[in-house]
Amino acid sequence: MASSFGSVFCGTQAVARYREGAWSPAVLEPLAPLALHPGAHGLHYGSSCFEGLKAYRHADGSVHVFRLDRHVARMQASADVLCLPKPGTEQLTEMVLSVVDAVRDEIPALPGALYIRPLLLGTLESVGAAGSPSTDAMLVVMTCPVGDYFAGGIRPLRIALEERRGRAAPGFGCVKTGSNYAAALRPVLHAKKAWKADQVLFCPDGDVQETGAANFLLIQEGAVHTKPLDDTILHGITRASVLELAPSLGLRVDESPLTVDELMSRSTDAEAALSGTAAVLTPVGTLIRGGYDHAVGNGQMGPVTKKLRESLMAIQSGEAPDTFGWLRRV
Ligand SMILES: *Cc1c(COP(=O)(O)O)cnc(C)c1O
């Protein structure tokens, strides 16, 4: 891919503002810098959250958004935790659909897609409001044409285990809020430098949680094993989709806690993968513990990871029937 994921934008954005207890109607406008007061709450006190979802252009030219309802619900849940004005279901849904419709001609063919990024930001103009919520907000939906995430071929990832600290502050792991990503940067940069790791898998007190921006799955003996949902991890919609899809491929689902010791002993004869909207499923080839490499299985993408990945992508791309009702036509 010529440019990195998410650095090229389509030409239209949708913007709505919340003031005096109500959302304004959304406006579709050319992509442009936003007018923001320098004292905006979200710039100082982290009152912001986002979503990331995709739309696909099928072979017949029709365009479909993947699991829009779930992404809308998750942004509303993030807004609740952050005490931000909550976008209405219809409002956010319509904003996404209208932007996708407006940029329809800019959506690349498969295996490319349109990456859709809604952002909710607290805009109360007060630097004295550290201890109170932002009563004003801005909701923006922007989009990026994205190419094949694995244009250079799929390279299994090197993942370093972080066994002391968690990824997010207590209660915030399930919120898609910017500060969580800033907080994960230093451990990731350290692991990159020290061990050439691609990502860090956060496992505080031995509990295998997730990486900085993807959920973790261990696949072995016909079962997909992953940690149950709680407030320490982001409730990934790719994760949920893989778990819903697994039984139709003859796989069992095991949503139970996974310890680092169990992971290490099982991984020599297993597959492991990260799940998320950007890359769907990415194989994990190596776990790095205490500075030492441990291959997961033979270190390559395993057959079950490949099958799950291809099955999910077939639904997204319209090559397989949408039996779960995951696609919303635009
Ligand atoms: C967005 C995200 C995921 C993946 O969620 P999807 O809905 O599958 O894209 C997983 N973990 C974190 C921390 C995330 O931010």
Side-chain angles (χ1 to χ4, degrees):
M1 194 163 32
S3 49
S4 64
F5 183 96
S7 62
V8 174
F9 292 84
C10 293
T12 305
Q13 63 192 14
V15 183
R17 291 181 184 265
Y18 187 90
R19 277 193 208 103
E20 292 171 2
W23 283 101
S24 71
V27 176
L28 273 185
E29 58 187 36
L31 183 86
L34 300 163
L36 265 185
H37 191 283
H41 195 273
L43 299 179
H44 298 261
Y45 303 124
S47 56
S48 76
C49 58
F50 65 95
E51 269 305 319
L53 64 163
K54 277 182 177 169
Y56 300 85
R57 179 195 298 286
H58 289 181
D60 66 0
S62 60
V63 170
H64 303 257
V65 182
F66 186 68
R67 307 206 76 173
L68 176 56
D69 51 341
R70 293 285 293 253
H71 286 277
V72 168
R74 192 169 68 186
M75 176 165 252
Q76 291 172 325
S78 291
D80 262 343
V81 177
L82 295 164
C83 307
L84 272 165
K86 192 160 67 179
T89 303
E90 200 183 329
Q91 171 130 25
L92 181 50
T93 302
E94 281 309 313
M95 284 174 73
V96 170
L97 293 175
S98 63
V99 174
V100 173
D101 184 42
V103 304
R104 181 182 293 274
D105 295 341
E106 297 172 72
I107 304 177
L110 296 163
L114 184 73
Y115 182 73
I116 307 163
R117 170 55 66 94
L119 170 72
L120 176 64
L121 182 75
T123 52
L124 178 70
E125 296 168 7
S126 170
V127 293
S132 45
S134 180
T135 50
D136 296 353
M138 183 167 62
L139 178 60
V140 191
V141 179
M142 64 204 92
T143 58
C144 302
V146 294
D148 183 359
Y149 201 86
F150 295 109
I154 297 184
R155 181 180 60 83
L157 299 178
R158 295 173 52 78
I159 301 290
L161 305 186
E162 166 55 63
E163 296 178 63
R164 277 165 306 152
R165 56 157 291 183
R167 173 184 159 263
F172 279 81
C174 56
V175 186
K176 230 167 160 68
T177 186
S179 53
N180 284 345
Y181 305 84
L185 282 178
R186 293 238 295 182
V188 173
L189 292 186
H190 172 71
K192 277 190 178 163
K193 196 168 167 207
W195 309 302
K196 297 191 163 55
D198 298 294
Q199 294 289 334
V200 167
L201 180 58
F202 291 92
C203 313
D205 302 320
D207 179 33
V208 177
Q209 295 183 342
E210 64 170 331
T211 65
N215 294 114
F216 180 81
L217 309 165
L218 185 68
I219 300 165
Q220 188 177 42
E221 287 169 2
V224 181
H225 186 176
T226 193
K227 177 186 168 60
L229 296 179
D230 61 22
D231 66 11
T232 66
I233 59 169
L234 209 285
H235 298 188
I237 293 162
T238 314
R239 171 195 178 280
S241 305
V242 166
L243 299 186
E244 285 169 60
L245 198 57
S248 65
L249 300 176
L251 298 164
R252 283 178 296 110
V253 170
D254 178 3
E255 278 185 277
S256 63
L258 177 64
T259 65
V260 171
D261 289 338
E262 189 185 349
L263 171 64
M264 296 316 293
S265 69
R266 289 175 56 190
S267 62
T268 52
D269 184 28
E271 301 175 29
L274 300 184
S275 73
T277 292
V280 187
L281 266 189
T282 314
V284 174
T286 307
L287 296 171
I288 306 161
R289 187 183 195 192
Y292 292 95
D293 282 13
H294 301 262
V296 179
N298 65 5
Q300 298 306 312
M301 173 151 69
V304 182
T305 303
K306 188 162 184 281
K307 190 159 112 183
L308 278 166
R309 181 182 150 73
E310 288 173 354
S311 304
L312 185 51
M313 288 172 58
I315 294 176
Q316 293 170 332
S317 64
E319 287 155 34
D322 178 24
T323 43
F324 297 92
W326 287 340
L327 300 179
R328 171 81 185 255
R329 186 171 179 150
V330 186

